[in-house]
Amino acid sequence: MAAPRIVAPEQAGPGAAPVDERAFAALMQPLGPFEPSPRIAVAVSGGSDSLALCLLADRWTRARGGAVFALTVDHRLRPESGAEAAQVKRWLAARAISHRALRWTRAPPTGATQAEARAARLALLAGWCRRAGILHLLLGHQREDQAGTALQRLVHGSGIEGLAAMAPVRLAMEPDGGGVRLLRPLLSVPRDALTATLADHNQPWLDDPTNRETKHLRPRLATALARLGPEGLSAARLARVAARAADDRAALDRLCTDLLAASAHPAPAGFVTLDLEVLRHAPPALALRALGRVVTTVSGAPHPPRLERLERLARRLLGDDDVKAATLGGCRVVPQGDGRVVVCREPASVTEVLSLDPGESALWDRRFVVSLGRSARPGRFVVRRLGTDGLARARAAARAAGTPLRPDRIPPPARPALPALFDLDGPLAAPHLHYRRTSHRNEATAAAFAAAFAPARPLAPGLPATLRVLPLQDEDS
C-alpha cells in the first residue's frame, strides 16, 4: 500500500483569511432548516477542501448540541487510497470526530466513466446517511470547483440550467420516496481560504495528484482558467455568473411548473401526455424547458438531454402541425392526432432484468419502485419490461380466463415498456394493465406485485416524485 502525500499546514499560501466560526454559520444559515441538535455527515476525502469543511462543521454542530460524522470513500482508484482513508481517520480521531470509511467494491472506472464513478460514490455516501437516519450530507465543493463546473458546462454548450452549475442545496432521492439533503456551503469560498483555515487549526491535509492530470477535462479547464484570469475571466467572476444563472434558473423553474400544469398530464404508468398547442403559445425558452423536464421525468435519467438534441426535438414538435414521431433520451414521442403527443419510455432502452424475492422491493429501470409482498409463494421471479410478446401473451391469457385486459387509457406506445412480473411460464402480473395470471398456484403472487412510478426528477421540483400504484385487488374487495 503506497503512502499518502501529506501537505504540512505551514505550506498554506500567504494572504488568505481563514473561515471562522461566525463566517461559517452565515454560510450554513440559508441551507436550513436543521433540527435542534443537528446530526450531519460530511464527505471527507482528506483534501484541503473537505477536511476544512469537516473541522468547521464539527464546531458548528457541537455549538448546537449536535454531532458530525465524517465519511471517506475508499475508492481504490489509486494504490494509496486505503492509506489515505486510514490517515483521515487518525486525524479526526485526535479531534474526537466520528469517522467511517466506506469501501467501494465496484470495478475502478476508466476515464470514460468518471461521471458514473462520481454518481456511485455519492450513492454510497447517501445510502450510509439513510441507514443512519442522517438528513444532511455536506460536500466540500468551493469557488474554484463552481467556476470549473460553469466553464465545463459552457464548453458543452449548456444554457441557463448548466451555467447555474452546482446548487447549494439538492435532494438526493431514494427509491422509497425519501432522500438525503446534499449541502454545499463553500461554493462562494476560495480554496486559499480553506487551506488558511487548516493552517489556523494546525491541520495537515492530503494531496491528490489526479486533480492535476491533464487527461481529464476539468484539470485542463483549470489550467486554462488560470491563464484567462488576467483577462478578467477569473474563478470569482465565473462563480458570480453561476450564482446569477441560478437565480434565473429558479425563476424559470417557477414559470415552467405553471406551464406544465397547463399542458402536461402525467400518468402513474410512467408516461406524460403533452398539449402541443399550449406549448406553442409559450415563450420558446419555457417550452424547451418543459420538454426537457418531461423527457427527464419519463426516462428516469438524473439529468436532462443535451441542449442541442432537445432543440431539435422542439423544432420537430412545435414548428408546424405535421408532427412526426421521434426519440430522445430513451423516450418515444408519439403524436396522437388530436394536437397532443405521448412521451413514454422507449422499449428498446428498457433492458434491466431484476430478480425479486417475496418481501423484497427495489428500483427498476431508474423509474419504478417494484415490490413483491411476503404472501407470494417461493420461486424465481423477475421484473422486466412487458414487451410486445409479453403483452400479447398477457392479452391471450386474460381473454382465455374471461377477464380481458383493461388498459385504462394507457396508449399503445406506452404499454411495452411497462414493468411486469415474470415467472418461468411468462408474464405473471402487470399492475398498470390490471393483469394477473390466475390460478390457484400463483394468484397470491400475482396480487402481491406492485409498482410505483418514482423518477429521479419529478415534473415539479419540490413535489413528491412517486405516484403510487397499489397491488391488484379483487373487484369486490
Side-chain angles (χ1 to χ4, degrees), residues 6-40:
I6 297 177
V7 182
E10 55 267 21
Q11 292 180 253
V19 182
D20 60 21
E21 293 180 44
R22 183 175 179 179
F24 186 71
L27 294 170
M28 290 291 286
Q29 193 277 330
L31 307 185
F34 298 96
E35 57 270 33
S37 299
R39 300 169 72 244
I40 289 178

Side-chain angles (χ1 to χ4, degrees), residues 182-421:
L182 306 180
L183 309 180
R184 296 181 173 94
L186 304 179
L187 291 178
S188 62
V189 179
R191 176 174 283 121
D192 287 351
L194 298 175
T195 55
T197 301
L198 292 175
D200 194 51
H201 287 75
N202 194 32
Q203 175 62 58
W205 64 91
L206 300 175
D207 173 54
D208 182 356
T210 61
N211 290 332
R212 298 183 295 275
E213 289 182 355
T214 56
K215 68 180 181 179
H216 299 308
L217 176 61
R218 190 173 285 268
R220 294 199 303 273
L221 291 178
T223 302
L225 188 58
R227 292 183 184 141
L228 292 170
E231 306 299 328
L233 190 61
S234 63
R237 181 158 293 177
L238 266 176
R240 285 198 296 272
V241 168
R244 291 167 184 149
D247 290 340
D248 293 343
R249 177 174 63 183
L252 283 172
D253 275 340
R254 289 191 291 271
L255 293 171
C256 183
T257 297
D258 292 341
L259 177 59
L260 286 168
S263 63
H265 307 277
F271 66 91
V272 173
T273 305
L274 275 175
D275 187 330
L276 292 184
E277 199 60 29
V278 175
L279 292 183
R280 286 181 179 133
H281 285 87
L286 280 181
L288 189 69
R289 194 173 191 82
L291 280 175
R293 282 253 202 106
V294 170
V295 170
T296 305
T297 296
V298 172
S299 69
H303 304 292
R306 286 285 181 88
L307 185 58
E308 296 91 342
R309 297 172 185 172
L310 195 56
E311 287 171 336
R312 285 198 296 270
L313 176 65
R315 286 193 294 269
R316 293 187 64 171
L317 295 182
L318 307 178
D320 53 53
D321 293 331
D322 186 21
V323 178
K324 300 290 194 304
T327 59
L328 178 65
C331 293
R332 293 186 68 197
V333 183
V334 185
Q336 298 299 288
D338 57 358
R340 300 186 303 166
V341 294
V342 165
V343 183
C344 59
R345 193 77 163 102
E346 184 181 19
S349 298
V350 184
T351 59
E352 183 174 9
V353 177
L354 177 71
S355 294
L356 201 62
D357 291 325
E360 285 188 340
S361 64
L363 183 65
W364 174 79
D365 192 43
R366 303 180 306 188
R367 302 178 299 133
F368 284 92
V369 176
V370 294
S371 60
L372 191 57
R374 295 187 183 279
S375 60
R377 64 176 174 82
R380 184 176 184 275
F381 305 104
V382 298
V383 180
R384 60 179 176 87
R385 71 173 187 238
L386 181 59
T388 53
D389 179 65
L391 180 60
R393 296 176 68 181
R395 183 178 286 116
R399 189 181 300 115
T403 55
L405 294 185
R406 293 189 288 116
D408 283 356
R409 291 177 291 182
I410 297 176
R415 297 172 192 170
L418 292 174
L421 184 71

